[in-house]
Amino acid sequence: MKLVRYSLLFFFLLFFIFWGTRYITVKEYYGDIWSHIQEDVFIDDINQNLMLGSSSIKKLYSEKFLPCGAWLNRGIGGATIEHISTYASMPFDKIYPKHILLYSAENDIALGIPIVQIEQELTNLVQALREKYSSSKIHLIAIKPAPKRKEFHFLFSQMNKKIDTLANKHTNVFFHKPARPFKASDFQADGIHLSDTGYLNFIGNFQTHACN
């Protein structure tokens, strides 16, 4: 087994040397994906829950905000659904999560990707996760109304309705709104990322569902 792991790591090391290195130095999400791949090769605890998403997930410290069970944080800074899907398609995270937390679509909308494309890509990602982790519960977190992205709030609201509809189509897929309406104090000074109180609100309903 160790020989297989080292062989896989060596293969991807060569792959990134010849193709991906120049991107890693420019884009945070490529670096995060590569880092996750390296760590996944050596995972020993297979009974971990899984977090997927952009920097809002990357900065979510499970020890502080998700005390129930072990969590594998695979947040990707600046990620769109395409980047999350790229990582999720990798075969190395041999875990059996009871819960999968997924936060996506905020960056996609902010980058101007059409809603119809975002909806289709998210549908494909959820389906891929359902196939890869057939016994897991998948939790889709509502897009937060970041003050810095006020011009996108209407689209965030529209996309949240589509995410809710998507969740309702499947068994073991759930949509979670915040515990209460967001306040200015729920966000950091950059107007995008969450404060501690913001995280408690962000995952409040999910935490109740997953921890019980």
Side-chain angles (χ1 to χ4, degrees):
M1 180 60 71
K2 288 186 177 180
L3 179 60
V4 173
R5 288 181 175 182
Y6 281 110
S7 297
L8 290 171
L9 182 60
F10 179 71
F11 169 78
F12 272 90
L13 178 61
L14 291 178
F15 175 78
F16 275 90
I17 287 174
F18 288 104
W19 180 84
T21 305
R22 68 181 187 275
Y23 296 104
I24 293 173
T25 60
V26 177
K27 298 294 186 180
E28 180 183 3
Y29 41 77
Y30 287 112
D32 284 343
I33 292 172
W34 173 230
S35 178
H36 295 336
I37 290 171
Q38 294 178 81
E39 293 173 1
D40 288 350
V41 172
F42 300 102
I43 285 178
D44 292 318
D45 183 2
I46 62 173
N47 295 309
Q48 299 185 71
N49 296 313
L50 176 64
M51 291 188 279
L52 296 170
S54 58
S55 57
S56 292
I57 293 298
K58 184 179 178 181
K59 296 174 182 290
L60 199 170
Y61 300 108
S62 59
E63 295 84 357
K64 190 172 187 178
F65 300 109
L66 292 171
C68 53
W71 289 86
L72 191 66
N73 190 321
R74 290 300 180 253
I76 301 169
T80 63
I81 295 172
E82 179 183 2
H83 302 126
I84 300 168
S85 298
T86 296
Y87 167 72
S89 68
M90 298 295 175
F92 307 115
D93 53 338
K94 299 298 184 182
I95 62 174
Y96 299 91
K98 181 178 179 181
H99 298 285
I100 298 174
L101 187 157
L102 174 62
Y103 182 72
S104 64
E106 180 183 344
N107 288 333
D108 304 66
I109 291 173
L111 289 170
I113 299 174
I115 288 289
V116 64
Q117 179 180 337
I118 297 172
E119 182 180 13
Q120 186 59 58
E121 290 183 353
L122 181 58
T123 298
N124 293 343
L125 173 56
V126 169
Q127 182 58 32
L129 291 173
R130 291 179 68 236
E131 293 174 359
K132 186 173 184 179
Y133 304 104
S134 58
S135 61
S136 302
K137 295 180 179 179
I138 300 173
H139 303 270
L140 309 178
I141 306 300
I143 303 171
K144 65 186 190 298
K148 185 74 171 181
R149 292 172 166 173
K150 188 174 182 178
E151 69 268 32
F152 301 111
H153 283 190
F154 175 75
L155 292 178
F156 289 167
S157 177
Q158 293 300 109
M159 189 64 211
N160 279 335
K161 292 177 182 178
K162 294 181 180 298
I163 297 173
D164 190 11
T165 299
L166 173 61
N168 286 327
K169 291 180 179 179
H170 302 289
T171 302
N172 281 354
V173 180
F174 307 92
F175 174 68
H176 298 281
K177 297 179 180 179
R180 55 165 173 74
F182 278 99
K183 303 181 296 185
S185 59
D186 290 330
F187 294 89
Q188 296 182 21
D190 64 7
I192 295 178
H193 296 104
L194 293 164
S195 64
D196 284 2
T197 59
Y199 270 115
L200 290 173
N201 186 41
F202 180 62
I203 59 169
N205 286 329
F206 161 74
Q207 187 180 40
T208 299
H209 188 108
C211 293
N212 294 323

